[in-house]
Amino acid sequence: MGFFAFLLLGLLAGVIAKALLPGRNGAGWLLTLVLGVLGAVLGGWLGGQLLGVGLGDFFSIRTWLLAIAGAVIVFLIYGAVTGGRRRR
């Protein structure tokens, strides 16, 4: 998977993870991109360590599920660290 495809995967995984989590967090689109990419990396790493699978092809459902699961974990950690604070 190329660099820009991975950025797109991270952005979309971050948006989906934000939509899945209850409440509002103050993350804008740039922070959502960064957290989504970190989540995709985390999801790929955890998938490789725990399940023996990693991020594959861009259009693979396994890739998307791992990236979204990783993004949800990263957003939960972000919410815990920031204490759910929102920008005004």
Side-chain angles (χ1 to χ4, degrees):
M1 182 172 6
F3 178 72
F4 290 110
F6 194 75
L7 286 179
L8 180 62
L9 172 69
L11 176 64
L12 294 175
V15 168
I16 293 170
K18 251 176 95 166
L20 289 175
L21 293 174
R24 296 181 61 124
N25 60 17
W29 69 270
L30 184 61
L31 186 57
T32 299
L33 170 68
V34 171
L35 294 177
V37 169
L38 289 174
V41 169
L42 177 67
W45 182 78
L46 284 175
Q49 296 298 315
L50 299 176
L51 305 173
V53 296
L55 298 178
D57 191 32
F58 182 77
F59 294 105
S60 170
I61 189 70
R62 178 185 68 210
T63 298
W64 284 92
L65 291 176
L66 286 172
I68 292 168
V72 166
I73 292 169
V74 169
F75 270 99
L76 289 172
I77 293 170
Y78 171 76
V81 167
T82 62
R85 289 177 282 179
R86 284 177 251 163
R87 290 188 327 188
R88 294 183 188 244

